[in-house]
């Protein structure tokens, strides 16, 4: 199994955290391709920043969604799933329309993992500003009634790659408060900058603790293994064919491939998208 793991922000330090936790979490037969957004911001706190990040993520997915070289082995570089590795899931669920493999955001993965382990959960975030967007995400997944709280760091960050070291005790205290004061059955340590922290805090928080990156990897592996097929029709089918201009070569080609695959399924020639 080969998974494409995308950091939607431009921080190489955060990508390193994602890479390390993803490799600790992945199964022995899982190969990981870890990529960083080509444009955007160092870390995402707002809906608009997420909008920018979505385009960067789409470009990376498109790059890995078809074989552009004639004569190339269509299976050599084929990915089996995509993990969008930023809490808030920039571009989701729209990115599910772009490819024929599962695309899973770490938010939806973490929320599913939390919901399986307790009735109410709390999210621990790296900034106050980010909480409104996170609350929107929880509501989107229909889990608003199960959200105990969102607690966050209310101090300026020294650097996005050192949040864990700089605020470890604060994050631990926030997690314990979520349990004692908010009634959380599960704590989610939100965001790629906190990747791996749940392992360090094992046993120090009296309820299950979910790491978004590890949840994203394991949930994506599970969904890929289900071999459920892709969205040929319905709400997440590829966008309809229409005139377009100004798209990158990769994005235009990826759309053409996935649209062709959807059309083929309707006419009865179901198979893998041409060019894959």
């Amino acid at each position: 199994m080969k998974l494409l793991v995308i950091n939607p922000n431009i921080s190489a330090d955060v990508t390193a955290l994602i890479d390390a936790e993803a490799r600790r979490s992945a199964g022995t037969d899982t190969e990981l391709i870890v990529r960083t957004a080509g444009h955007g911001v160092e870390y995402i706190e707002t809906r608009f920043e997420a909008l920018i990040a979505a385009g960067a993520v789409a470009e990376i997915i498109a790059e890995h969604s078809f074989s552009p070289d004639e004569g190339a082995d269509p299976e050599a570089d084929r990915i089996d799933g995509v993990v969008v590795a930023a809490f808030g899931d920039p571009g989701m669920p729209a990115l599910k329309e772009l490819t024929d493999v599962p695309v899973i955001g770490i938010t939806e993965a973490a929320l599913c993992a939390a919901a399986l382990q307790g009735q109410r959960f709390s999210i621990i975030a790296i900034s106050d500003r980010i909480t409104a967007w996170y609350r929107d995400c929880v509501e989107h997944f229909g889990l608003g009634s199960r959200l105990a709280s969102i607690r966050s760091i209310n101090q300026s960050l020294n650097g996005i790659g050192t949040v864990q070291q700089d605020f470890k005790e604060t994050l631990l205290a926030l997690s314990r408060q979520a349990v004692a004061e908010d009634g959380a059955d599960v704590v989610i340590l939100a965001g790629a900058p906190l990747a791996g922290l749940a392992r360090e805090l094992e046993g120090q928080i009296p309820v299950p603790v979910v790491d978004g990156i590890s949840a994203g990897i394991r949930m994506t592996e599970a969904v890929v293994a289900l071999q459920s097929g892709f969205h040929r029709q319905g709400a997440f089918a590829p966008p309809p064919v229409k005139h377009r201009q100004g798209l990158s070569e990769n994005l235009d080609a990826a759309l053409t491939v996935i649209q062709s695959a959807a059309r083929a399924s309707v006419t009865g020639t179901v198979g893998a998208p041409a060019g894959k």
Side-chain angles (χ1 to χ4, degrees):
M1 183 185 302
K2 184 183 293 185
L3 301 184
L4 174 63
V5 184
I6 304 173
N7 175 13
N9 67 52
I10 61 171
S11 170
D13 289 342
V14 173
T15 301
L17 291 170
I18 292 169
D19 187 278
E21 180 58 26
R23 295 187 188 284
R24 285 192 292 260
S25 303
T28 56
D29 295 330
T30 298
E31 178 183 349
L32 301 177
I33 303 171
V34 182
R35 296 286 306 276
T36 307
H39 65 269
V41 297
E42 62 176 334
Y43 64 100
I44 304 163
E45 288 185 281
T46 73
R47 301 173 186 87
F48 183 72
E49 291 171 344
L51 180 65
I52 296 171
V57 174
E59 292 289 351
I60 295 173
I61 293 175
E63 179 186 343
H64 290 268
S65 292
F66 71 105
S67 297
D69 300 324
E70 284 192 34
D73 180 357
E75 296 299 319
D77 297 317
R78 179 173 173 81
I79 57 172
D80 299 296
V82 178
V83 180
V84 180
F87 214 83
D89 297 351
M92 298 288 286
L95 293 169
K96 296 179 188 290
E97 301 175 15
L98 183 58
T99 182
D100 66 331
V101 302
V103 182
I104 306 294
I106 65 170
T107 309
E108 59 183 352
L111 293 177
C112 287
L116 288 171
Q117 297 182 79
Q119 182 62 29
R120 288 167 60 77
F121 57 86
S122 286
I123 296 172
I124 309 302
I126 64 172
S127 78
D128 288 339
R129 179 64 195 273
I130 213 167
T131 59
W133 175 36
Y134 283 1
R135 195 173 298 277
D136 284 352
C137 293
V138 175
E139 293 288 348
H140 167 77
F141 287 110
L143 293 171
S145 64
R146 298 179 67 173
L147 177 64
S149 63
I150 302 178
R151 288 183 174 264
S152 59
I153 299 170
N154 62 2
Q155 303 172 54
S156 298
L157 305 182
N158 299 320
I160 194 60
T162 61
V163 174
Q164 294 187 38
Q165 296 92 319
D166 297 340
F167 294 99
K168 182 176 179 180
E169 292 305 316
T170 299
L171 293 162
L172 178 57
L174 292 172
S175 299
R176 288 171 170 170
Q177 288 171 348
V179 177
E181 300 175 22
D182 307 329
D185 303 311
V186 183
V187 167
I188 299 172
L189 297 178
L194 302 185
L197 182 59
R199 295 179 187 271
E200 289 191 38
L201 299 182
E202 184 177 1
Q204 299 181 57
I205 300 169
V207 298
V209 181
V210 174
D211 180 298
I213 299 300
S214 58
I217 295 295
R218 299 302 285 179
M219 290 287 187
T220 304
E221 287 176 328
V223 173
V224 170
L226 289 173
Q227 298 183 347
S228 305
F230 79 103
H231 297 280
R232 297 176 176 88
Q233 297 184 33
F236 292 103
V241 176
K242 62 188 70 169
H243 176 71
R244 53 184 184 253
Q245 65 181 32
L247 275 64
S248 69
E249 182 180 355
N250 283 338
L251 193 55
D252 188 70
L255 280 169
T256 298
V257 166
I258 197 66
Q259 288 168 338
S260 297
R263 284 200 305 272
S265 72
V266 173
T267 60
T269 55
V270 179
K276 295 293 286 282

